[in-house]
Amino acid sequence: MFARIGRVVVHHPWRVIAVWLVAAAAVVALAPKLTATTDEASFLPSHYESIQAQTLQQKAFPQAATPAAIIVLERQDGAPLTAADSGRVASVGKALEDAHIKNVTAVQTAPATGNKKIQIISVQMPKPEGTQGKNQTDAVKDLRSALQDKLDGTGLKGGITGTAAQNLDGQEAGAKAEAITGAATIGLILVLLLVIFRSPIIALLPVITIGAVSQIATGLIGWANDVFDLKTDSSVSSMLIVVLFGVGTDYILFLMFRYRERLRAGEDSKTAMVSAIARVGEAISSAAGAVIIAFLALVLSTLALFRSLGPALAIAVATTLLAGLTLIPAVVSLLGTKVFWPSKAWRHEPKGARFAAIGASMGRHPGRFAVVSGLLLAVLAAFSLGFHSNFDLSGGSIPKGAESTVWQKELLKGLPAGATEPSDVYLRSTAGTPLDRAGLAGYKAKLAAVNGVGNVADPVLSKDGSVADFRVTLAEKPESSSAIKAVKGPLRSTAHDAAPAGTTAVVGGITSVFVDIQAAVDHDYAVVFPVAAVLIMVILGLLLRSVVAPWYLMASVGLGFAATLGASVLIFQQLRGEPGLIFMLPVIMYLFVVALGTDYNILMIARLREEAREGRSPREAAALSVRYAGPTVAAAGVILAGTFASLMLAGGSTLLQMGFAISAGIAIAAFVMALFFTPAVTALIGHAAWWPGHADAPAHEPAPGADAPGEPAAQPTNRR
C-alpha cells in the first residue's frame, strides 16, 4: 500500500501540492476561530457537588456573585492606614463608580482590615461573555488605567486582582508564551536540521510545509469544537505549536533518513523516495496511529478539558501524518538530490562510528544494556511515589510580576488567603418551604469550627427563604492542597452531617471545583490509561505480527512514564520545594510521553523486525538497528524534546513543569528506552519476540529497486 502511495505522489507531485494549497485556503477562509476558556467549572459534569452548588446558586441567588475584580489599596510607605487614608480610599471608590466604566455594574468600598494594612474595593461585573470573558477583561484594562489616575497625590498605591484580572493577565501571558514557544520551536528546528543535514532547504522544509499544515489542523479543530460543542483550554494553542512542528519534523526526519539511505544504495531520486515511503511508511503510520488512539482515548474522560484536548491533538497528528506521506514526498521528489544542497555528504555514509560502536557493544552484551537502562528508569520511577497535585492554574500560568499576582499577595497582609475566592455552603429546605431561622446560627457555628476555615459570614437567604448561603473564607489559598483537603474532608462532611432535619447542604466555590476535578482525574487514570494501553498494544501487534513484543514494549513505556513523573517530582518538589505538580501533568505526560515516546519504540522495533526478516540473528539485528536507526531516533528525540523544552521559556510554573516533564520524558523515551532498553531486551528474547510471526516473511512491500525478498541483502554500507 505504501509503495503505491509513494508512486502516486512521486509521479504527480504538482497535483498533490495543489490539493494541499486549495485545502489550506479553504480551511483558513471558512473555518471558525479556535477559542479557549479559562472557566475550570465548565469542564465538569453536572453530577459533581460543586456544579450542583453552582446550579443552586444561579437559581436561588441570581444576582449574587463573588467580585469579579478586587482593588487592593495600601499606604505608599507601608504604614497602617489612618482614618484620613480610609477617606481617600472611599473617594477613589466613588470616583471609579462615577466614571461609569463599561461593564462595571457596582463598586463597593469595604472598611480597612483589622490590622489597617490594606483596604479593598470590590468591583462587580456581568457574567463573562464568550470563552475568554472579553467584557470583563476589557473592563479590567479600563479600571487599571482609571485607578492610577485617581491615586495621584493621595499617598496611596494599589492594584487590581481577582478572577477577571487574573484572566486578563493569563491571556496576555498566554499570548506571550505562544509567541516565545513558536519562535523557539522554529529556531531550534532550523538550527538542528542545519547541523544534521547541512542544508538550508531541508531546514526550511518543515517550517514552510508544517506552517501551512498547521492552518488546516487549527481550522479542523475549530470545526470539531463547534460541531461537538467541545471546550478548549487556554493552553491548547501553545501545545498545538509544539505538537505540529515537533511531530511533523520527526516524521520528516524518519522519511529523509531512509530516503538518504536508498540514495546511498544507488537508487535514483524518485525511486529512492518510493522506496523510502514503502519502507518507513508503515512505521510512521503505526506510530501516528498509536498517538492518535492515545489522544482519542481521552474522550472517555469525565473532564471536558481532556475530552476536547484529545480530539484536538489527534486531528493535529493525523493532519501531520497525511502531510508526511504526501506533501513532503511531493516537494522532495520535485527537488530531488538538490534538497541536500549545498552539502554532498548525502552521497556517502558518515565515517563516524559512534552508533556502530554502541550497536556492536549491545550485540555482544545485551544483558548489560538492559540491566543498566532498566535500573536507571526504576530509580527515577521510585520518586514518582511522592507526587502531589497542585491546582494553582492561574498562579502557575501567570508570571510572578503580573499585577494580579503581586496584589493578590499584598491582599494577604490583611485578609485570609481564601478571601479572593471564598467557598459557599448552601443550605436548602427539602420541602421548598422557608428555613427555620432559629437553627441557622448553630449551623454557622459548626461550619466556623471546621479546621481550615478562616471565618463564616452571616447567612444570606433567598427571596423565598428556602435557601441560605453561608459564605466561608478558608484560612489558606483556595487552590492550595490544605484548602482542598479542608473542603474535601471536614467542610463537606460537617456541612452534610450538621444540616438540620428537613434540609440538605452542598458546598460550592472554586475549591470545591478543584476537589471534584481531582476525583474526576483519579477516575480518568483508572479508565483512560488502560484503554489506551490496550489499543496501542493492538497497533503494535498488527505492525509486528507478534503477541510477545507488544507486552514488553508497553511495559517499557509504562516504566518510562513513571521515570518521567519521578524526575519531575525530584526537580520541582524535592529540589525546588514546590508544594506539588500541576494536577493535569500526569495526563499531559500520558499524552506526550506515552503516545509520542512510543514513536521511537515503534521506529526501533520496526527496524529490528526488518533486520530479523533479512536473516540477521537477534543480536546482529539489535546491533544493526542501533547503528542505522539510532541516528534517526537521536535526531528526532533531540528535536522533539527541544521543541517541548521551549515551553519552559514562556514563564509561569505550569508551562515550566509541562515543558520539563514532556521534554525529559521524550529524552528518556528516545535515549534510554528506544536506543538501549528495547533493542537489548529484544536481543535477549531472541526470535521468540516475533512469535507467532515468521522471520522469513517479507519485511515490507517491495518498491522498485528495493531488495527483493529472499535475495541476499546488499552490504550494510551500500544498502543504506
Side-chain angles (χ1 to χ4, degrees):
M1 181 182 75
F2 292 101
R4 287 193 292 272
I5 292 174
R7 286 191 288 269
V8 170
V9 170
V10 167
H11 293 133
H12 306 284
W14 285 113
R15 295 182 184 178
V16 173
I17 294 171
V19 169
W20 275 98
L21 290 176
V22 170
V27 170
V28 169
L30 301 175
K33 183 179 179 182
L34 182 63
T35 56
T37 179
T38 56
D39 180 9
E40 289 86 358
S42 66
F43 296 126
L44 281 168
S46 59
H47 66 270
Y48 283 97
E49 181 171 342
S50 60
I51 306 304
Q52 293 175 354
Q54 187 181 76
T55 302
L56 179 59
Q57 178 264 319
Q58 292 170 352
K59 181 180 179 181
F61 305 97
Q63 303 303 320
T66 301
I70 299 175
I71 302 173
V72 184
L73 299 169
E74 62 185 6
R75 284 177 60 101
Q76 290 181 353
D77 59 8
L81 294 164
T82 64
D85 292 327
S86 291
R88 296 187 186 97
V89 171
S91 297
V92 170
K94 184 66 168 61
L96 291 173
E97 185 177 21
D98 293 342
H100 300 295
I101 296 173
K102 185 178 180 181
N103 288 314
V104 172
T105 57
V107 178
Q108 183 177 6
T109 303
T113 57
N115 60 8
K116 306 295 183 181
K117 287 290 186 181
I118 64 164
Q119 192 165 351
I120 67 171
I121 300 174
S122 299
V123 181
Q124 299 286 356
M125 300 176 186
K127 186 177 180 180
E129 296 174 358
T131 55
Q132 299 197 21
K134 188 172 176 58
N135 61 321
Q136 289 194 349
T137 55
D138 286 347
V140 172
K141 292 178 184 177
D142 295 337
L143 269 174
R144 283 178 171 171
S145 177
L147 174 63
Q148 299 309 316
D149 291 340
K150 309 303 181 190
L151 290 178
D152 284 344
T154 63
L156 302 172
K157 62 179 180 178
I160 302 178
T161 186
T163 304
Q166 289 173 340
N167 287 343
L168 173 61
D169 290 340
Q171 289 172 19
E172 293 177 347
K176 180 181 178 182
E178 187 174 340
I180 292 173
T181 301
T185 298
I186 293 172
L188 181 68
I189 289 172
L190 286 172
V191 170
L192 290 176
L193 289 181
L194 277 172
V195 171
I196 294 169
F197 289 100
R198 304 172 191 173
S199 167
I201 297 176
I202 292 182
L204 290 171
L205 185 63
V207 174
I208 295 173
T209 55
I210 298 173
V213 170
S214 68
Q215 299 301 313
I216 297 176
T218 302
L220 293 176
I221 294 168
W223 266 322
N225 285 358
D226 277 5
V227 171
F228 298 104
D229 191 28
L230 301 175
K231 300 180 185 298
T232 302
D233 180 66
S234 55
S235 62
V236 167
S237 295
S238 294
M239 285 193 284
L240 274 178
I241 292 173
V242 292
V243 167
L244 285 164
F245 281 94
V247 173
T249 304
D250 268 10
Y251 294 162
I252 291 173
L253 276 176
F254 296 167
L255 182 68
M256 293 305 296
F257 269 92
R258 188 53 75 101
Y259 175 59
R260 190 172 64 179
E261 285 185 14
R262 301 315 305 164
L263 289 173
R264 287 171 179 167
E267 296 179 354
D268 65 82
S269 61
K270 291 188 179 296
T271 302
M273 179 52 70
V274 176
S275 297
I277 296 174
R279 290 171 177 265
V280 84
E282 185 178 24
I284 293 177
S285 299
S286 299
V291 175
I292 291 168
I293 282 180
F295 287 168
L296 288 179
L298 286 178
V299 299
L300 301 175
S301 171
T302 54
L303 288 173
L305 163 63
F306 298 135
R307 286 203 308 274
S308 62
L309 181 62
L313 297 179
I315 289 171
V317 173
T319 309
T320 304
L321 169 65
L322 188 59
L325 292 177
T326 58
L327 179 59
I328 302 301
V331 173
V332 174
S333 67
L334 287 175
L335 296 172
T337 57
K338 294 185 179 68
V339 75
F340 299 105
W341 180 88
S343 173
K344 293 180 172 51
W346 63 270
R347 297 177 178 176
H348 308 286
E349 186 177 346
K351 299 299 182 184
R354 185 171 306 161
F355 285 97
I358 294 173
S361 179
M362 179 179 294
R364 291 191 300 271
H365 310 290
R368 296 180 187 177
F369 281 81
V371 169
V372 172
S373 56
L375 280 176
L376 174 61
L377 295 174
V379 169
L380 289 175
F383 287 98
S384 66
L385 299 175
F387 169 73
H388 296 293
S389 296
N390 179 19
F391 287 83
D392 187 3
L393 288 176
S394 60
S397 59
I398 301 174
K400 294 181 180 179
E403 183 172 329
S404 61
T405 303
V406 171
W407 287 98
Q408 184 175 20
K409 185 176 180 180
E410 292 298 301
L411 184 65
L412 301 183
K413 290 181 178 179
L415 291 175
T420 53
E421 295 191 76
S423 297
D424 292 273
V425 176
Y426 297 101
L427 188 68
R428 176 179 57 183
S429 169
T430 54
T433 55
L435 294 166
D436 180 8
R437 300 196 180 194
L440 298 183
Y443 187 69
K444 172 190 170 182
K446 291 179 180 178
L447 294 177
V450 171
N451 187 31
V453 170
N455 59 64
V456 181
D458 290 334
V460 177
L461 294 175
S462 61
K463 285 185 178 181
D464 62 2
S466 65
V467 181
D469 175 11
F470 295 84
R471 179 142 291 188
V472 177
T473 301
L474 301 172
E476 301 294 338
K477 293 200 306 182
E479 68 277 0
S480 67
S481 59
S482 55
I484 292 171
K485 288 179 182 177
V487 171
K488 179 181 179 180
L491 183 58
R492 280 189 173 179
S493 296
T494 301
H496 300 159
D497 298 342
T503 66
T504 59
V506 289
V507 180
I510 193 64
T511 307
S512 187
V513 169
F514 291 152
V515 170
D516 292 338
I517 286 178
Q518 181 65 73
V521 169
D522 290 342
H523 166 270
D524 292 347
Y525 291 162
V527 174
V528 175
F529 285 13
V531 169
V534 170
L535 293 176
I536 292 174
M537 285 184 66
V538 170
I539 286 181
L540 290 173
L542 293 174
L543 169 67
L544 303 174
R545 283 73 164 177
S546 167
V547 297
V548 176
W551 286 97
Y552 67 84
L553 288 177
M554 286 308 300
S556 71
V557 169
L559 187 58
F561 172 87
T564 303
L565 183 59
S568 302
V569 169
L570 176 62
I571 295 297
F572 292 100
Q573 292 183 201
Q574 302 295 331
L575 299 182
R576 288 173 58 94
E578 295 187 11
L581 302 176
I582 197 69
F583 77 93
M584 67 175 73
L585 191 62
V587 177
I588 297 297
M589 284 170 44
Y590 149 80
L591 283 171
F592 297 109
V593 176
V594 174
L596 297 182
T598 303
D599 278 9
Y600 304 123
N601 258 347
I602 287 177
L603 185 68
M604 182 60 73
I605 200 74
R607 190 62 181 245
L608 281 161
R609 174 173 168 267
E610 182 178 333
E611 297 295 346
R613 291 190 169 193
E614 289 182 350
R616 319 292 188 200
S617 71
R619 296 193 177 200
E620 287 175 336
L624 288 173
S625 296
V626 171
R627 178 177 182 177
Y628 294 110
T632 308
V633 169
V638 168
I639 288 177
L640 192 58
T643 56
F644 279 103
S646 66
L647 291 173
M648 299 170 67
L649 303 175
S653 62
T654 298
L655 290 178
L656 179 66
Q657 290 181 10
M658 284 187 185
F660 172 82
I662 298 171
S663 58
I666 289 170
I668 288 172
F671 293 99
V672 180
M673 288 193 303
L675 274 181
F676 299 120
F677 191 75
T678 294
V681 171
T682 303
L684 289 173
I685 294 175
H687 291 295
W690 314 115
W691 186 85
H694 301 287
D696 57 352
H700 51 78
E701 180 182 354
D707 303 324
E711 293 182 4
Q715 293 301 311
T717 54
N718 295 323
R719 182 170 61 90
R720 294 168 175 81

